[in-house]
Amino acid sequence: MTPLQPVPSAADAECPAPTRQLRRRGTVVLSVFALIWAFAGASGTGSATDAVPVTVEVAAVLLTAAAIHLGHRRDAAPSPRTVHLPANWARGVGIVNAAEVAAVAAVIAAAAGTGHPRVIPAAVALVVGLHFFPLARLYDQRRYRWTGALLSAVAAAGLALTATGLSDETLRLVVGLGCALVLWATAYHLALRG
């Protein structure tokens, strides 16, 4: 009888596949939300048919499409490391995302209800930024801490600018495009570096 050789568990054997799937999914989700923020920012540059917002929106669509393409290309280099997902990670992600949606709704309702709708873009950016901190652990993506910190910094700048009396359009431009750039940077990093 030959001694039994250790066999990798199914989970160990499949780690590269979920890592690649999460990389692709992350690239899509980050890029799409960057696109939404960019469109919100573009709304601060003029009416929907003016040249500047249309140019910003076209550029946003191209940046989003390119990120998604890079994240899904067949010849992408493998991720430099395999993610190690904690137990019940998907459930945790669902809870974090549900809490984010509830917090965004609460922020919008509170700001509008108290007569302070100008803080909505920055307050929403803060909620979005903060939700990346638990996601960093749940997805085993340390770079999401940077994403959360940068989005929170954009939100803080937006809140500070709100207090200066800048126009609503300028606030949407600064916060919207700031958040879009942070999310695209993360999407491109994920697509190119894994």
Side-chain angles (χ1 to χ4, degrees):
M1 232 176 155
T2 59
L4 294 175
Q5 296 295 325
V7 176
S9 70
D12 290 339
E14 294 174 359
C15 277
T19 298
R20 178 172 273 233
Q21 287 175 332
L22 289 172
R23 175 185 187 177
R24 288 177 171 177
R25 186 179 307 152
T27 301
V28 169
V29 170
L30 291 163
S31 298
V32 168
F33 278 102
L35 179 67
I36 292 167
W37 278 105
F39 272 57
S43 74
T45 63
S47 68
T49 57
D50 288 350
V52 173
V54 169
T55 302
V56 170
E57 291 165 355
V58 168
V61 168
L62 294 174
L63 283 168
T64 299
I68 292 170
H69 171 73
L70 287 172
H72 282 79
R73 69 192 190 285
R74 293 192 191 282
D75 64 340
S79 293
R81 67 181 188 86
T82 301
V83 296
H84 299 286
L85 303 172
N88 297 321
W89 68 273
R91 182 175 182 269
V93 168
I95 290 169
V96 169
N97 288 336
E100 177 202 20
V101 170
V104 165
V107 160
I108 292 170
T114 59
H116 297 95
R118 292 169 40 78
V119 303
I120 290 174
V124 169
L126 182 60
V127 170
V128 173
L130 293 176
H131 108 289
F132 272 94
F133 290 103
L135 290 183
R137 182 185 63 79
L138 291 167
Y139 282 124
D140 188 25
Q141 293 291 336
R142 292 181 295 271
R143 72 182 56 86
Y144 285 175
R145 290 185 197 127
W146 285 104
T147 304
L150 291 171
L151 288 172
S152 298
V154 169
L159 289 170
L161 291 172
T162 300
T164 67
L166 283 178
S167 69
D168 293 350
E169 291 79 14
T170 303
L171 293 172
R172 285 197 311 272
L173 176 67
V174 169
V175 174
L177 293 185
C179 289
L181 291 173
V182 170
L183 293 173
W184 276 320
T186 307
Y188 275 90
H189 188 274
L190 197 59
L192 295 170
R193 304 284 305 270

